Amino acid sequence: MIITFLILLLALAIYVYNLPVFGGKAEGKRLIRMKQSPNYKDGIFQNLSFTPSLAEGFTMRKVLWEFLTDKTENKKPNFLLPTKKLNLKEQPISDNFLVWMGHSSYYFQLDGKRFLVDPVFSGNASPIPRTTKAFIGTDIYSAEDFPDIDFLIISHDHYDHLDYKTVKSLQPKIDKVICGLGVGSHFEKWNFDEDQIIELDWYEDAEITNGFKITSTPARHFSGRRFKRNNTLWSSFVLETPRKKIFLGGDSGYDFHFKEIGEKFGPFDWAILENGQYNEKWRYIHTLPDEFVKVAEELNVKNVLPVHSGKFALAQHSWNEPLQKVSENSKDKNFKIFTPLIGEKLDLDNDSQSFSEWWKF
């Protein structure tokens, strides 16, 4: 009986481990290319600087206890957040605009092309159903709402940035996927064609269509969908179009790479930067509020959209603290902060557009 039980348990573990939600595993020529990267050492990808998962003074045991006994006030809104829902299919392709869809998901049109970044529209940012649920009323977009997508951009493969259900529902509308080394293994597992996937190493670029170039740039973070970390590359991106230059930040702790990117590619018209789900214990892998201004200034950017908040509670701070702090800290600086509602149209050609402090409602 014991042997039978152990066999059944092993079979169940193998079945669960191979569920499509967990993605694929890099093999063959993909793995060979990964191993040739200067950022791949000792069997995993590495940050540019030493990056412990926890800051000094914290232990995994302590962090786990704080998670289990978490009593953070106002961690989730207890009311329906205000949103707007733009009809994306009715927007002229000539319009240059962006729509933030909560957390790190956003859609934008620029110079006649359509882009979608890190979409999570399943209402959940975890492989375990109903464990990391979207705030009430924030999950207002679904695959049916989108026109055809020229380029899907994925910053890294964490579940709050790469959602299996969302990607599969969008698959018929997606032309090309742009991602870091190794991330393409997930898309091939999910039946995307090899020639649809553009995988880039840091500071590697691709001309994705006439007049459009994208460059993968460093971030200070980590990756992984199963038990092993850092088996795919996490990235930020520089997108250059015929009329704009945009920095797509992904997730990143502060480090010298922001200044380096600003010097190599700046000035930027726009930057989309993370401003939420931070904590001192994670200071090396997420940007803290008092570092946000320094990041924007070192990038040499004119306009900034803060993201990584407003939809999921992944850290021990109130749900609206990130937007409040970034707004306060960015006053009278040499860049402008834009804080649209989820679903509200942000005109990428209008630097004077203003938005309400909706998180105070």
Side-chain angles (χ1 to χ4, degrees):
M1 286 293 293
I2 295 176
I3 293 175
T4 301
F5 174 76
L6 291 175
I7 292 173
L8 290 173
L9 189 63
L10 177 61
L12 178 62
I14 293 172
Y15 169 76
V16 171
Y17 189 79
N18 286 287
L19 286 173
V21 66
F22 295 109
K25 181 181 179 182
E27 297 174 328
K29 62 183 180 181
R30 174 174 284 111
L31 183 58
I32 292 172
R33 186 180 173 207
M34 288 164 54
K35 289 180 176 180
Q36 292 172 343
S37 168
N39 306 302
Y40 190 89
K41 301 172 185 175
D42 301 323
I44 57 174
F45 286 103
Q46 309 274 356
N47 282 291
L48 297 177
S49 298
F50 173 66
T51 303
S53 56
L54 293 175
E56 297 80 3
F58 296 96
T59 64
M60 191 56 68
R61 182 178 179 180
K62 181 180 178 181
V63 169
L64 180 60
W65 176 251
E66 289 179 351
F67 173 77
L68 295 173
T69 60
D70 184 18
K71 295 181 180 178
T72 302
E73 292 185 8
N74 203 26
K75 189 174 181 179
K76 300 179 181 179
N78 58 7
F79 58 92
L80 191 69
L81 291 182
T83 62
K84 291 183 179 180
K85 187 173 181 180
L86 184 69
N87 189 323
L88 301 175
K89 293 180 178 178
E90 291 183 352
Q91 305 306 306
I93 191 61
S94 58
D95 280 9
N96 293 331
F97 70 91
L98 182 150
V99 176
W100 174 57
M101 296 164 174
H103 200 62
S104 293
S105 304
Y106 51 96
Y107 167 90
F108 64 95
Q109 291 183 185
L110 199 53
D111 294 338
K113 297 297 179 182
R114 298 184 175 103
F115 298 82
L116 182 61
V117 179
D118 290 359
V120 180
F121 306 140
S122 65
N124 194 57
S126 165
I128 304 172
R130 303 182 66 81
T131 55
T132 310
K133 296 168 62 178
F135 299 156
I136 299 172
T138 60
D139 207 40
I140 62 174
Y141 283 95
S142 65
E144 291 73 26
D145 297 316
F146 288 86
D148 289 342
I149 306 298
D150 295 300
F151 303 102
L152 172 67
I153 300 175
I154 301 297
S155 64
H156 62 295
D157 68 3
H158 284 156
Y159 296 100
D160 59 322
H161 294 258
L162 178 57
D163 180 60
Y164 168 69
K165 288 184 178 180
T166 300
V167 167
K168 287 300 292 181
S169 64
L170 285 166
Q171 185 172 359
K173 300 186 175 188
I174 296 169
D175 185 12
K176 298 289 185 181
V177 177
I178 301 169
C179 56
L181 292 181
V183 178
S185 62
H186 304 316
F187 286 90
E188 288 199 14
K189 172 82 171 182
W190 300 336
N191 297 317
F192 280 72
D193 293 335
E194 182 181 356
D195 61 5
Q196 285 185 272
I197 304 166
I198 301 170
E199 289 180 274
L200 299 173
D201 200 355
W202 290 342
Y203 291 121
E204 186 177 13
D205 61 57
E207 185 175 358
I208 53 178
T209 190
N210 188 35
F212 287 74
K213 184 173 78 170
I214 193 162
T215 305
S216 171
T217 45
R220 192 180 192 188
H221 199 55
F222 67 107
S223 68
R225 291 179 75 84
R226 289 189 173 99
F227 301 109
K228 184 179 179 181
R229 283 188 168 192
N230 301 345
N231 52 359
T232 61
L233 187 62
W234 51 100
S235 300
S236 57
F237 294 94
V238 172
L239 176 64
E240 298 174 80
T241 80
R243 292 192 292 170
K244 301 284 185 188
K245 190 180 292 183
I246 299 181
F247 179 72
L248 314 176
D251 284 3
S252 179
Y254 178 76
D255 205 5
F256 68 87
H257 66 279
F258 287 113
K259 185 175 182 181
E260 185 174 84
I261 292 168
E263 291 173 346
K264 284 179 178 286
F265 299 99
F268 290 98
D269 299 291
W270 289 87
I272 296 88
L273 302 177
E274 72 152 335
N275 79 306
Q277 319 320 312
Y278 49 76
N279 192 291
E280 277 290 337
K281 63 176 74 75
W282 305 328
R283 66 171 302 119
Y284 293 115
I285 53 177
H286 286 290
T287 304
L288 297 178
D290 59 359
E291 297 170 329
F292 186 93
V293 170
K294 183 163 55 173
V295 169
E297 290 178 339
E298 291 186 355
L299 284 171
N300 191 10
V301 60
K302 186 177 181 182
N303 304 301
V304 179
L305 173 71
V307 299
H308 212 239
S309 64
K311 190 170 183 177
F312 300 110
L314 303 177
Q316 292 164 301
H317 55 63
S318 64
W319 75 268
N320 55 355
E321 180 183 288
L323 286 166
Q324 183 60 32
K325 286 196 171 186
V326 76
S327 297
E328 292 172 353
N329 294 344
S330 300
K331 286 181 179 178
D332 301 320
K333 302 300 180 183
N334 58 358
F335 59 90
K336 185 175 180 180
I337 288 287
F338 292 79
T339 55
L341 294 166
I342 290 176
E344 193 169 9
K345 188 175 184 177
L346 171 61
D347 187 345
L348 294 175
D349 291 329
N350 183 4
D351 295 348
S352 62
Q353 191 175 8
S354 61
F355 299 95
S356 66
E357 294 182 319
W358 57 268
W359 58 89
K360 293 183 176 181
F361 296 168

